[in-house]
Amino acid sequence: MENNEINLETTTATNKCKVIIVGGGMAGLSAAYHLSKNGCSDFKLLEARRRIGGRIVQIDIGNEKVELGANWIHGVLGNPVYELAMQNGLIDIMQSPKPHKVVAATEQGKQVPFSVLHEIYEAYLCFLRRCEEYFISQYLPPEGIDSVGDHIRLEISLYLDKIQDPQERHLRQLIFDCLLKRETCISGCDNMSEIDLLEIGSYTELQGGNVILPGGYSSILVPLTKEIPSNNLLKEHPVKKILWNKNNYNNNNAESDSDDSDITVIEDPPKATSHNSSRESSCEKEIPLHNVEVVCENGEKFYSDHVICTVPLGVLKHKAVNLFEPQLPDYKLEALSKLLFGTVDKILLEYERPFLNPNITEVMLLWETEVAKADNPGELNDSWYKKIYSFTKLSDTLLLGWISGKEAEYMETLSNDIVVDVCTDILRKFLNDPYIPKPKNCVCTSWASQPYTRGSYTAIAVGASQIDIEYLAQPLYNKKNQAKPVLLFAGEHTHSNFYSTVHGAYLSGRTAAQILLSSDTPQEIVLNCEDTSDLSSWIQGISLE
Ligand code: 6YU
């Protein structure tokens, strides 16, 4: 041990620990929560921003609490975030869902009969389900069709061919176009032609629909953070470098014939199991090795034996090459570049007084089909707003518009005054009402420009696969026969079925904590994660392959 111990003279007790968690979004907080709940408090969580929560963030607009990132718990059965919310009284079980009344309007201000909207929506859902089935079926798609967008467009054209009346056909085409734009906001991409057809079904939808917490999604952060010792949470600590082979690891368990000067990245480490941790965890018992040095932007250094990196895929895409020393293995770098981290933004408009018909909750915008897609950012000037597919009413005086892809990124460069004028023109045109007032306040998210996110969420691009997500999740060892990995990864981008979601992030953080909490020698242990029966561990074990 002696030769390999780091020089601790320059360190203080506060910057040495067993585990460093980089990033305080849902994945990082979940890792910290599960370490804490299982008796391991020897960790530090380093968060770049002045706040925790990452892509879960709430602001006040007027009297409303508004979520700028995640807002729905996707699914109930087996969703650990739903379970956590239930245990902590965050769900109002008496609340019945508000009736949702959607209208679809054309640029000429004409509203589409609901029966037509319903017919096209049903057909669209059917086309989407057929795309999802490729993942589990043996069937091959038609030749040359490799994206969800291409497949759905093929089905749309076959469907529309059967409609004789050109106007009826055109109207239906506009509804399909709108639904495809909506899909880019669900998948997190610019265009559905970017999404791999054979892989879209890898995303697992949990039953139970979308649940909204009365206090907003951000209320879920409270039960997590209250379990984490506040001294362990260090905000405004952007991490610049993760040196994960700092101390040439050498202990008595190491292979006697190994060359310690070499970095051995074991590419196929043993899989973590979900039943191998204990309250008196081995996280507390291990001999300190300090394999890891984490350097913050301000020069502060932290030392640990293990590091859990939860920075988003967008940040990894930009920074991975400089963030890690030694460099990540090629298979991880390749996976990083193949996967997609698209942009989805929200436009929030606050009004002095209500103006929308009280029965309407959403206006779908049926833009005329574009002739050519603008690739040149300069050309987006005249067309960016056509990507806004709808405005939803959050309250009588608050509207929410959704926008994705290049157009969202372009919008992030504009002033609020421009966005306000454009949105007012849109609403006046589609609702055929020149007296619609201007909003008194406008808030636009800027997820692509945020240096600590650089996009919105993960999707599987054409040519990538679920395996790339598994590659990103793979923990790294720096020595053969090492009991536990040195560098672990968590975050929504590392969950092979629930990528892009908060529950995916939560489970990935929990898995990372479980790996470190696990005993070096396998034994029968009851995992202390949640206080109730944990359906999610069971669901997590289901493979769709
Ligand atoms: C969900 C939903 N939802 C809308 C919008 C967005 C997202 N999601 P984090 O980024 O949170 O944390 C990382 C931390 O690291 C962060 O705090 C950073 O500051 C920090 N960091 C970065 N660099 C650092 C450094 N150098 N040093 C130190 N710290 C550093 N999910 O379940 N329900 O309604 C939505 C939505 C606009 C932007 C969402 C939703 C996604 C979640 O928000 C997201 O996955 C998690 O919060 C991520 O947590 P994390 O910890 O991994 O990262 C078919 C098909 C396709 C599949 N798609 C279907 C599902 C669609 C998803 N739905 C989205 C819809 C909305 C509205």
Side-chain angles (χ1 to χ4, degrees):
M1 281 296 294
E2 275 173 34
N3 298 340
N4 297 294
E5 268 176 356
I6 51 169
N7 177 7
L8 298 179
E9 282 164 30
T10 54
T11 70
T12 65
T14 52
N15 63 6
K16 286 184 287 170
C17 54
K18 291 298 291 182
V19 185
I20 292 171
I21 301 166
V22 181
M26 179 47 92
L29 292 173
S30 167
Y33 169 80
H34 287 96
L35 289 176
S36 302
K37 285 273 272 184
N38 286 278
C40 173
S41 56
D42 192 11
F43 67 87
K44 290 268 182 277
L45 186 154
L46 306 177
E47 166 53 49
R49 290 178 164 112
R50 236 179 282 163
R51 59 169 183 87
I52 52 146
R55 279 168 274 168
I56 303 176
V57 52
Q58 189 178 73
I59 59 162
D60 288 330
I61 301 185
N63 295 327
E64 302 288 327
K65 301 230 169 286
V66 180
E67 297 295 331
L68 299 180
N71 45 297
W72 297 291
I73 298 181
H74 292 305
V76 171
L77 182 69
N79 190 326
V81 177
Y82 182 83
E83 289 164 20
L84 187 69
M86 272 301 267
Q87 284 160 31
N88 287 280
L90 301 178
I91 289 173
D92 179 2
I93 46 169
M94 299 306 281
Q95 192 189 39
S96 48
K98 289 189 195 127
H100 192 50
K101 175 83 169 63
V102 189
V103 295
T106 64
E107 280 188 59
Q108 295 75 37
K110 289 213 175 91
Q111 289 190 8
V112 175
F114 186 74
S115 57
V116 178
L117 190 58
H118 188 252
E119 168 204 317
I120 299 305
Y121 185 61
E122 290 292 310
Y124 175 82
L125 278 187
C126 199
F127 303 161
L128 185 66
R129 294 286 165 259
R130 277 208 276 272
C131 292
E132 288 166 354
E133 276 164 20
Y134 281 112
F135 183 71
I136 40 169
S137 77
Q138 304 291 321
Y139 297 112
L140 286 175
E143 197 152 329
I145 303 278
D146 57 4
S147 75
V148 174
D150 290 354
H151 198 279
I152 292 185
R153 266 185 277 275
L154 179 67
E155 297 234 52
I156 291 174
S157 71
L158 295 172
Y159 184 92
L160 293 179
D161 278 351
K162 292 185 207 125
I163 294 166
Q164 306 295 319
D165 183 280
Q167 277 182 344
E168 290 293 311
R169 194 167 52 232
H170 182 64
L171 183 62
R172 283 163 175 77
Q173 176 73 64
L174 299 189
I175 302 173
F176 279 126
D177 289 347
C178 180
L179 291 171
L180 278 167
K181 283 180 201 164
R182 177 177 177 269
E183 205 62 53
T184 63
C185 289
I186 296 170
S187 297
C189 61
D190 177 56
N191 185 306
M192 289 310 288
S193 297
E194 292 174 334
I195 303 296
D196 195 280
L197 178 59
L198 301 184
E199 296 289 325
I200 188 171
S202 63
Y203 174 78
T204 306
E205 208 170 306
L206 295 175
Q207 295 302 301
N210 289 331
V211 177
I212 290 194
L213 299 181
Y217 211 139
S218 298
S219 57
I220 201 70
L221 300 175
V222 178
L224 291 175
T225 39
K226 78 170 186 231
E227 295 292 338
I228 304 169
S230 56
N231 288 344
N232 295 23
L233 280 183
L234 304 181
K235 296 175 199 163
E236 294 184 86
H237 277 73
V239 167
K240 189 168 78 178
K241 200 100 203 162
I242 299 173
L243 301 107
W244 57 283
N245 192 35
K246 185 64 189 160
N247 188 30
N248 263 343
Y249 174 80
N250 176 22
N251 71 11
N252 296 337
N253 297 330
E255 277 186 337
S256 53
D257 60 348
S258 65
D259 174 3
D260 287 337
S261 62
D262 275 354
I263 300 150
T264 312
V265 177
I266 299 172
E267 310 228 344
D268 189 20
K271 283 248 179 321
T273 55
S274 59
H275 56 273
N276 50 8
S277 78
S278 70
R279 183 163 266 282
E280 192 202 349
S281 64
S282 67
C283 171
E284 295 290 9
K285 287 188 288 184
E286 255 185 32
I287 310 152
L289 298 167
H290 300 308
N291 278 315
V292 180
E293 178 181 310
V294 172
V295 186
C296 291
E297 294 285 357
N298 66 2
E300 235 180 304
K301 291 179 180 172
F302 294 84
Y303 301 91
S304 66
D305 302 334
H306 312 277
V307 56
I308 304 174
C309 177
T310 76
V311 305
L313 177 59
V315 175
L316 288 175
K317 275 175 175 283
H318 281 81
K319 293 268 167 85
V321 171
N322 297 319
L323 186 61
F324 300 98
E325 196 180 307
Q327 186 68 267
L328 295 181
D330 286 348
Y331 73 86
K332 269 193 193 275
L333 294 176
E334 257 170 52
L336 281 179
S337 73
K338 279 159 82 180
L339 289 164
L340 195 67
F341 198 67
T343 305
V344 178
D345 276 321
K346 297 182 182 181
I347 303 171
L348 294 144
L349 304 171
E350 189 198 6
Y351 291 87
E352 207 74 71
R353 60 177 173 83
F355 63 89
L356 258 188
N357 178 331
N359 297 320
I360 297 176
T361 53
E362 182 174 1
V363 183
M364 282 174 65
L365 308 173
L366 306 185
W367 293 102
E368 283 301 321
T369 315
E370 281 164 62
V371 181
K373 180 117 177 66
D375 268 337
N376 178 351
E379 292 169 37
L380 286 172
N381 185 26
D382 293 329
S383 62
W384 69 270
Y385 48 85
K386 294 187 181 180
K387 197 69 172 292
I388 306 173
Y389 76 85
S390 92
F391 282 103
T392 308
K393 213 196 291 179
L394 296 184
S395 77
D396 284 344
T397 51
L398 195 58
L399 288 189
L400 163 65
W402 291 92
I403 187 164
S404 64
K406 292 192 201 82
E407 290 83 354
E409 284 154 31
Y410 182 76
M411 181 207 63
E412 291 185 16
T413 67
L414 300 174
S415 71
N416 273 0
D417 287 346
I418 294 178
V419 177
V420 160
D421 287 345
V422 167
C423 289
T424 306
D425 286 347
I426 293 173
L427 286 163
R428 286 177 181 170
K429 182 153 95 165
F430 282 82
L431 293 174
N432 201 9
D433 178 357
Y435 300 108
I436 284 176
K438 271 194 176 191
K440 66 171 178 182
N441 186 13
C442 168
V443 176
C444 298
T445 61
S446 53
W447 288 107
S449 333
Q450 295 283 319
Y452 299 120
T453 313
R454 290 181 179 263
S456 297
Y457 32 86
T458 301
I460 302 188
V462 172
S465 80
Q466 196 186 36
I467 294 169
D468 290 304
I469 293 188
E470 283 161 14
Y471 282 167
L472 292 189
Q474 199 85 288
L476 297 176
Y477 299 68
N478 55 15
K479 191 72 196 166
K480 273 189 184 142
N481 292 348
Q482 204 166 17
K484 288 179 190 164
V486 174
L487 174 56
L488 298 90
F489 297 87
E492 53 87 11
H493 56 286
T494 65
H495 198 288
S496 55
N497 297 112
F498 301 145
Y499 50 86
S500 79
T501 66
V502 172
H503 54 283
Y506 176 91
L507 288 170
S508 69
R510 188 177 82 176
T511 300
Q514 282 171 349
I515 292 172
L516 297 181
L517 288 163
S518 65
S519 171
D520 296 350
T521 45
Q523 49 184 288
E524 185 99 11
I525 299 157
V526 178
L527 174 68
N528 185 359
C529 280
E530 267 76 47
D531 298 328
T532 61
S533 62
D534 193 1
L535 275 172
S536 54
S537 337
W538 173 76
I539 287 276
Q540 199 187 6
I542 295 177
S543 163
L544 289 180
E545 284 163 345

